[in-house]
Amino acid sequence: MEKLMAEPRRAFQQPVSLPPAPDGRVKIAARGVDVFYDRFQALKGITLEIREKAITALIGPSGCGKSTFLRALNRMNDLVPGARLEGVIQIDGDDIYAPGLDVVALRKRVGMVFQAPNPFPMSVFDNIAYGPRVHGVRDKHQLAEIVESSLQRAALWDEVKDKLREPALALSGGQQQRLCIARVLAVEPEVVLMDEPCSALDPISTLRIEELMRVLRENYTIVIVTHNMQQAARVSDETGFFLMGELIEFGPSSGLFTTPRDRRTEDYITGRFG
Amino acid sequence: MDARRKERVVFGLLSLSMLAVVVPVLLVLYFLAVRGLPGVTWEFLTALPRENMRAGGIMPAIMGTLLLVTGTVVFALPLGVLSAVYLTEYSRPGALNRLIRLAIVNLAGVPSVVYGLFGLGLFVLFLRFGASLLAGSLTLALLILPVVITASEEALRSVPVSFRQASLGLGATRWQTTWRVVLPNALPGIMTGVILGVARAAGETAPILFTAAAFFLPRLPHSVFDPVMALPYHLYIISTQVPDAPPRIQWGTAVVLLMLVLGMNLIASLIRTRHRRARHW
């Protein structure tokens, strides 16, 4: 690890196991997106396209707007008083800020994993079953099936299959975060947003989450905000670099990390600031 | 004066002020126990008053207070909790929100006798409930509403924002989030606040004076439209309106009332400490 850090340029080469960025169809399209918090403009004219069944990483220094952009994708910013968005964000061609749009239905399609693991203070089972129950699933067998398959997809089943009735908060931090991922998968989303999902985890747990992301990529569109550039380089197909509310550079991760086009991107990924 | 001497003086002053708080409480408890406890017999707790309240027990007053308190909870709990939910989970910061808060703070500052008069005007006369269990409970509910709202709000706010985000992020509605995640985790705090409010309601005389309390009613109420006897009012009556009432009965009534109120406070703090130990977040 230390040796890799010392040679940043070569460190960011893509692992061979990951196939090249897919030419999949566009899942999410943002055009000229501005976000304001009262008078402060957090995002300035963001335009980018996120591909289906790929991992898109958003990087940049603190306060650059990457998390704001992520939260705009499932309208979590609506919860912040004084937040306002201009421009267009489409998922599968539907404007998600169209008047009268069902935000609840949108959030079912676009799940979110947060920075710190935030399981509910309930059992493992009830955590996973929460989403399906909220969406009207009552049948016990059906719930049990959803819980098992979600935990399996999140690579947590073997560790917790005997602890389903135990409090989720008794699990380790890394297990809690995979539980939160399983909880999101249980509502069958199409897109999974991850807001620095590993920042509160140790390196081993981080590695497991990254492995999990590579597997999930086959079925889900994943957007991840991360502070960790190696992580972005390791797991993502495409990367966007944000700086002071602007999208400086966006493209295949292999290119962005090895031959950045913009000077500011290069300065950031080589550790000159941030 | 050097810093160390100053420290000693300050410490001494602080200790004195602590004593000034603790000693009167202990004295009150001591005198009540010495003079009142001998009078608190099984018969005293379970019998009807006799000989114009100069003998017998205070059972109707105890039951009356318990019924009033129950009625108070029935009205104050849903109203208070729903108001707190509105304030913390639904309303946006702004002029209306500030106005509501101002109203609650002022409601808390209204003297209890004013609540009594209000209850007389609205519930007893205008709505024609008469002096009754119903009118008294409603009046007491209004009295403790600020306490219930404030305590519930605090309890709701102490539930981490991350729980709400997780729930909303899964596509739950605001109400589903409130009902399934926020309220269950706020419940112990809400209960603590409600019990403390109810303990206050149990000891109040002025609000029930015109709305519920019977001077002398040696039976239990048959319906919510019947008046009831109540411990604080009974204590007032036998201390001031009944010549030659034996001190045994006066002190005994005071002890029962105090034990009731202290008991409720004790339950409230038990819930609070148990909950603190049980929660992981």
Side-chain angles (χ1 to χ4, degrees):
Chain A
M1 205 61 162
E2 277 168 19
K3 199 179 161 206
L4 294 179
M5 298 280 266
E7 296 170 281
R9 277 308 189 81
R10 246 179 290 162
F12 296 128
Q13 280 179 9
Q14 291 267 315
V16 268
S17 58
L18 199 70
D23 305 315
R25 64 184 199 93
V26 173
K27 181 73 179 173
I28 304 171
R31 282 191 247 299
V33 171
D34 298 328
V35 171
F36 300 86
Y37 294 124
D38 290 317
R39 289 207 193 120
F40 172 71
Q41 187 167 4
L43 285 180
K44 297 167 189 165
I46 305 299
T47 296
L48 61 79
E49 292 183 336
I50 289 169
R51 290 182 193 288
E52 188 171 46
K53 293 181 185 174
I55 300 178
T56 303
L58 309 176
I59 61 168
S62 303
C64 67
K66 58 192 190 298
S67 286
T68 294
F69 182 74
L70 191 78
R71 284 155 179 273
L73 299 180
N74 69 343
R75 294 188 56 172
M76 285 302 267
N77 282 334
D78 290 14
L79 306 175
V80 181
R84 182 162 60 82
L85 181 136
E86 283 167 17
V88 178
I89 298 179
Q90 293 175 324
I91 296 183
D92 291 336
D94 304 326
D95 181 357
I96 62 166
Y97 283 84
L101 177 116
D102 184 356
V103 179
V104 165
L106 169 72
R107 293 195 184 129
K108 191 172 176 295
R109 285 174 70 194
V110 186
M112 187 157 200
V113 177
F114 296 85
Q115 193 166 353
N118 57 354
F120 300 124
M122 329 169 166
S123 71
V124 171
F125 186 95
D126 289 340
N127 261 281
I128 311 294
Y130 182 87
R133 279 181 177 143
V134 157
H135 296 295
V137 180
R138 292 273 173 279
D139 184 72
K140 274 187 184 169
H141 296 288
Q142 200 185 342
L143 281 173
E145 265 168 42
I146 295 174
V147 168
E148 178 170 349
S149 70
S150 305
L151 285 169
Q152 252 157 4
R153 275 181 284 170
L156 190 60
W157 174 252
D158 290 335
E159 289 162 65
V160 301
K161 63 183 175 202
D162 302 320
K163 301 182 188 172
L164 294 180
R165 297 290 158 197
E166 283 174 36
L169 287 160
L171 301 178
S172 76
Q175 289 174 325
Q176 287 187 16
Q177 194 62 303
R178 275 179 284 144
L179 179 88
C180 292
I181 294 174
R183 188 173 61 182
V184 168
L185 300 183
V187 299
E188 303 286 349
E190 298 156 29
V191 180
V192 179
L193 309 176
M194 299 188 171
D195 190 358
E196 299 186 39
C198 302
S199 62
L201 305 181
D202 61 85
I204 305 286
S205 307
T206 299
L207 220 60
R208 298 213 56 177
I209 302 263
E210 288 179 10
E211 282 167 17
L212 175 58
M213 286 167 63
R214 289 201 194 94
V215 176
L216 294 176
R217 172 176 173 277
E218 311 207 341
N219 296 304
Y220 304 91
T221 304
I222 298 176
V223 187
I224 176 176
V225 159
T226 178
H227 254 115
N228 180 334
M229 281 173 283
Q230 286 96 326
Q231 181 169 61
R234 276 194 302 264
V235 302
S236 70
D237 300 298
E238 293 191 288
T239 298
F241 171 58
F242 283 71
L243 186 63
M244 293 166 74
E246 288 176 70
L247 180 65
I248 304 296
E249 189 165 343
F250 184 79
S253 304
S254 48
L256 189 132
F257 283 106
T258 49
T259 50
R261 278 168 282 145
D262 194 289
R263 182 64 202 264
R264 289 165 293 181
T265 314
E266 185 178 344
D267 286 351
Y268 182 70
I269 62 173
T270 53
R272 229 162 278 165
F273 73 97
Chain B
M1 200 158 40
D2 70 289
R4 278 181 59 196
R5 271 191 63 190
K6 213 175 197 170
E7 181 74 10
R8 267 205 294 273
V9 172
V10 169
F11 184 72
L13 283 173
L14 292 176
S15 307
L16 270 180
S17 59
M18 269 315 296
L19 278 180
V21 173
V22 173
V23 169
V25 174
L26 292 177
L27 282 179
V28 168
L29 288 177
Y30 174 75
F31 278 110
L32 275 176
V34 168
R35 305 203 180 174
L37 272 183
V40 182
T41 60
W42 183 245
E43 195 217 343
F44 184 70
L45 293 175
T46 55
L48 297 172
R50 280 180 281 112
E51 296 167 33
N52 281 329
M53 299 181 269
R54 289 191 184 87
I58 54 166
M59 189 272 280
I62 296 175
M63 288 309 294
T65 287
L66 290 179
L67 286 170
L68 277 170
V69 156
T70 310
T72 305
V73 173
V74 166
F75 294 117
L77 183 69
L79 199 58
V81 172
L82 289 177
S83 307
V85 166
Y86 172 76
L87 284 171
T88 57
E89 310 296 319
Y90 281 82
S91 76
R92 295 238 159 185
L96 180 68
N97 196 303
R98 279 202 299 278
L99 194 73
I100 296 172
R101 272 169 218 286
L102 193 68
I104 292 168
V105 170
N106 280 299
L107 214 55
V110 173
S112 57
V113 67
V114 176
Y115 280 99
L117 284 171
F118 177 78
L120 174 69
L122 180 64
F123 304 126
V124 177
L125 300 176
F126 184 73
L127 294 174
R128 297 174 188 218
F129 293 158
S132 61
L133 184 55
L134 181 64
S137 298
L138 285 166
T139 309
L140 287 173
L142 283 183
L143 174 84
I144 69 162
L145 209 47
V147 181
V148 175
I149 294 175
T150 312
S152 304
E153 249 196 289
E154 218 167 282
L156 291 168
R157 265 182 225 293
S158 76
V159 177
V161 180
S162 66
F163 292 178
R164 295 179 179 83
Q165 286 182 337
S167 174
L168 294 170
L170 289 167
T173 61
R174 233 172 241 267
W175 177 248
Q176 285 171 328
T177 302
T178 303
W179 182 251
R180 289 165 184 255
V181 176
V182 181
L183 273 178
N185 287 296
L187 200 60
I190 292 173
M191 289 318 294
T192 307
V194 169
I195 296 172
L196 288 179
V198 160
R200 180 174 168 210
E204 283 286 348
T205 314
I208 55 170
L209 195 58
F210 321 116
T211 57
F215 179 78
F216 179 62
L217 185 76
R219 63 172 173 83
L220 292 178
H222 297 310
S223 84
V224 292
F225 295 106
D226 272 1
V228 288
M229 292 182 82
L231 281 172
Y233 184 62
H234 185 64
L235 182 57
Y236 165 72
I237 294 294
I238 53 177
S239 308
T240 59
Q241 311 292 310
V242 182
D244 331 313
R248 183 180 66 79
I249 290 187
Q250 295 166 357
W251 286 99
T253 307
V255 165
V256 172
L257 177 58
L258 193 75
M259 286 200 303
L260 198 75
V261 172
L262 286 184
M264 282 193 251
N265 287 344
L266 190 70
I267 292 172
S269 53
L270 275 181
I271 292 179
R272 191 160 35 187
T273 44
R274 275 194 60 172
H275 170 62
R276 280 219 183 112
R277 219 172 294 145
R279 82 171 166 195
H280 307 277
W281 32 273

